[in-house]
Amino acid sequence: MKDRACIVGVGTTRFAKRGELFDENPIDQVRTALDMALAEAGLSRRDVDGFATYSVEKLDPSTLAPALGIPAVNYSSMVHGGGGGGTCGAVANAAAAVIARQADVVMVYKFITQPPHARFGAAYGSAQVAADPLSDFHRPFGLISPAQFFSLLFRRHMHRYGTTPLHLAEVAVSTRRHAMRNPSALKRDPLTVAQHQSARMIADPFRLFDCCQETDGGAVILVTSAERARDLRQQPVYIMAGAMGGDSLWGQGLTSQNQPEDLYVSAGHAHMAKRLYAQAGITPDDVDVALLYDHFTGMVILQLEDYGFCERGEGGDFVASGAIRWPDGRLPVNTHGGNLSEVYLLGLTHVIEAVRQLRGESTAQVADAEIALVTAGPSNLPSSSMLLRR
Amino acid sequence: MLASLAALAPDPTTAPFWDACRRRELRLQRCADCSTFRQPPSPGCPRCGSARSDWPLLSGRGTVFSYTIVHHAAVPPLAGDVPYNVVVVELDDAPGARLISNVLDAEPSDVTVGMRVEIAWDEVRPDVVLPRFRRAGRG
């Protein structure tokens, strides 16, 4: 796959608080994001012939293609899983499709709007309230929301390695500082360590600012072959490597809490990290900027370890050193403000920020950024991640 | 506690666990070929792939591997339950398997990683007996 497919355009709807876009026509939202991406690339809707998505996306090509004036569909796929684990997998599917010449231009897309009364976390919880053979082993004990599941993994990391809530605060505060530079970010008020530490507890050790926002919006990312990309308007961003899956003993570990301890104190991405670096022929030292899926602050720390930016157990000290802060940190992380402070679109905005960094367009631009790591949401299998270069 | 969540929907794979609970017996699924415990129950052993399993009786004693204290009620029916603890328990005689549960009669500050616990059967409904825990060595 290395460098044979490119991202040539990105587009989004406006970002809005949860519920604000619920009444807007979803096709109109896709058209808005798609046309922005097409304009970047210098392509038209008639050039699009493939669809790649994830997370049980309801909008499928049977409605999208005719409504958008896309003449024919040559490729369509969806990654398994209901959270944000499939983001990079969907991009990798698109890359594989254009490399195999099944399609010419694939739109990777995801739209998330929610009724004002039903938060994702609560909706997830409500779904869990219905008895079901697998959830019977956690639901009756009050373990029903993502924050609760992830808090258990992080608690064990704290116990084993001495990681602390102040390390969580550093992730929340540094991410907010990045968001304050980004006019599109929804959370731009200053956030201090003291505010983080005094915010209400959600699921100990996670407090309010350890949990990402829930928002409305959507995004489109256009993928085509490297040959085609050279003739387009935008500087291409090359897909160096893509990984989708994980260690099978991770399995349903998030909800079952049954993975072996070395996996339990991780984000479940170490298996994919090895594959990414091998495919791309690089090491963690070569990564200039990392866009790490931040549904919860603690999972950023665990991913830093999974991807080899520090040793297992040293993620807390790594962030405390200022390493993830733009501009002076060794590895600026989530320079757009992430799910925590920019917007929560199930990970596509992390891909978009990587593209902007590699084009030199970020509002927290890493000097001379050449290689970006993007991860999708740690969750039950499969999750995914990828390396991009300019 | 958490009475609004007490309904169960066993299937043929999970029924042996819940049937044993109704008899106040803690039985976990173990691979009949490689002897690896697995929890939740599943139709195949993740270590060796065998479909054969047995359900040995366990002592019900274990150690808290991880825990959280839930302060935010994820769904409205739990508003009266918070704060409550959720623990992940490693069982003394089922290495590698963990149970998700709660420690009864414990203040949030009582719960720690490494805390010793023992089974405390909780009959939440006549047909639903849940394996919860209490601190080991206490009433």
Side-chain angles (χ1 to χ4, degrees):
Chain A
M1 174 179 289
K2 186 180 179 186
D3 300 341
R4 294 174 63 196
C6 295
I7 295 172
V8 294
V10 299
T12 70
T13 63
R14 72 183 175 96
F15 301 154
K17 290 180 180 169
R18 170 178 50 88
E20 284 185 1
L21 301 188
F22 184 67
D23 293 328
E24 288 189 11
N25 186 313
I27 301 282
D28 290 341
Q29 296 177 31
V30 178
R31 187 185 294 110
T32 298
L34 174 60
D35 285 352
M36 185 187 300
L38 290 167
E40 282 197 354
L43 290 165
S44 80
R45 288 189 224 149
R46 298 187 64 79
D47 295 309
V48 175
D49 65 345
F51 295 81
T53 187
Y54 60 102
S55 196
V56 205
E57 171 62 51
K58 291 189 288 290
L59 295 164
D60 74 25
S62 69
T63 51
L64 286 177
L68 296 169
I70 290 170
V73 179
N74 294 325
Y75 178 81
S76 173
S77 69
M78 177 146 70
V79 179
H80 291 111
T87 319
C88 297
V91 177
N93 278 348
V98 299
I99 291 167
R101 301 190 185 284
Q102 290 192 34
D104 193 26
V105 176
V106 178
M107 58 177 276
V108 180
Y109 65 103
K110 182 68 205 169
F111 289 76
I112 175 170
T113 57
Q114 302 186 80
H117 57 275
R119 296 180 70 90
F120 180 76
Y124 188 95
S126 300
Q128 296 278 330
V129 168
D132 155 271
L134 263 183
S135 73
D136 281 353
F137 291 95
H138 55 83
R139 171 191 20 83
F141 308 99
L143 184 60
I144 55 173
S145 82
Q148 297 163 9
F149 290 116
F150 284 108
S151 72
L152 290 166
L153 307 189
F154 195 77
R155 168 72 61 191
R156 184 70 190 181
H157 193 277
M158 291 170 67
H159 172 77
R160 186 157 149 171
Y161 299 116
T163 325
T164 72
L166 283 172
H167 296 139
L168 298 177
E170 169 58 22
V171 175
V173 168
S174 64
T175 306
R176 179 63 60 86
R177 286 166 53 106
H178 301 161
M180 289 167 64
R181 302 180 56 85
N182 174 2
S184 300
L186 292 175
K187 299 274 190 191
R188 303 184 66 212
D189 298 333
L191 177 66
T192 66
V193 171
Q195 286 170 320
H196 172 277
Q197 294 284 289
S198 60
R200 67 190 173 92
M201 193 68 87
I202 303 296
D204 198 338
F206 291 163
R207 294 177 182 274
L208 180 65
F209 296 113
D210 293 312
C211 307
C212 75
Q213 313 172 77
E214 297 199 27
T215 54
D216 280 4
V220 168
I221 290 166
L222 296 174
V223 174
T224 192
S225 65
E227 303 84 67
R228 180 90 191 262
R230 287 186 199 107
D231 301 328
L232 298 180
R233 184 179 294 159
Q234 193 60 241
Q235 175 190 340
V237 168
Y238 291 84
I239 298 167
M240 296 183 81
M244 171 165 34
D247 188 312
S248 87
L249 291 179
W250 179 273
Q252 294 211 329
L254 184 63
T255 45
S256 295
Q257 300 282 315
N258 61 358
Q259 58 278 61
E261 182 167 6
D262 287 347
L263 280 173
Y264 190 95
V265 292
S266 81
H269 275 225
H271 173 84
M272 288 186 291
K274 287 194 205 84
R275 290 176 60 82
L276 277 191
Y277 293 132
Q279 281 178 45
I282 67 163
T283 72
D285 284 343
D286 297 316
V287 176
D288 298 305
V289 58
L291 294 312
L292 304 180
Y293 196 96
D294 52 336
H295 36 17
F296 302 100
T297 51
M299 302 317 287
V300 171
I301 293 173
L302 271 48
Q303 289 176 84
L304 288 165
E305 298 177 6
D306 283 0
Y307 284 92
F309 298 113
C310 57
E311 294 297 314
R312 177 69 62 207
E314 293 179 359
D317 288 341
F318 184 83
V319 300
S321 75
I324 65 172
R325 287 195 183 206
W326 182 88
D328 296 325
R330 186 177 130 200
L331 179 77
V333 170
N334 295 346
T335 43
H336 54 328
N339 292 330
L340 292 168
S341 289
E342 189 205 36
V343 68
Y344 173 68
L345 297 186
L346 290 166
L348 276 185
T349 44
H350 291 62
V351 180
I352 289 172
E353 174 65 5
V355 168
R356 289 185 175 147
Q357 282 284 356
L358 298 174
R359 289 179 185 163
E361 298 171 353
S362 172
T363 51
Q365 181 63 43
V366 173
D368 206 29
E370 289 183 17
I371 295 178
L373 168 69
V374 189
T375 68
S379 186
N380 288 339
L381 285 187
S383 189
S384 58
S385 56
M386 64 185 176
L387 287 165
L388 302 177
R389 73 163 179 86
R390 71 180 189 206
Chain B
M1 71 186 295
L2 303 166
S4 61
L5 299 174
L8 298 174
D11 66 9
T13 301
T14 67
F17 178 90
W18 297 114
D19 290 347
C21 287
R22 276 201 305 278
R23 299 191 301 268
R24 273 62 169 178
E25 293 175 356
L26 184 62
R27 292 182 181 272
L28 256 58
Q29 188 181 30
R30 181 176 64 182
C31 176
D33 284 304
C34 77
S35 298
T36 303
F37 280 93
R38 61 184 189 265
Q39 169 63 17
S42 71
C45 174
R47 294 279 178 188
C48 77
S50 169
R52 301 194 317 123
S53 63
D54 54 18
W55 293 82
L57 179 67
L58 304 179
S59 68
R61 284 188 288 274
T63 303
V64 171
F65 178 78
S66 194
Y67 73 93
T68 184
I69 309 296
V70 176
H71 290 262
H72 173 76
V75 291
L78 299 185
D81 291 297
V82 292
Y84 62 86
N85 69 70
V86 177
V87 292
V88 180
V89 175
E90 287 198 322
L91 298 159
D92 290 358
D93 34 12
R98 301 190 193 111
L99 270 187
I100 294 163
S101 187
N102 314 105
V103 180
L104 299 172
D105 305 323
E107 295 298 317
S109 58
D110 293 339
V111 182
T112 58
V113 175
M115 172 184 193
R116 293 286 296 160
V117 293
E118 60 192 17
I119 199 83
W121 295 108
D122 186 7
E123 183 177 310
V124 290
R125 295 190 340 204
D127 59 330
V128 176
V129 178
L130 296 178
R132 300 202 214 262
F133 287 84
R134 64 166 50 94
R135 281 172 283 178
R138 300 167 74 110

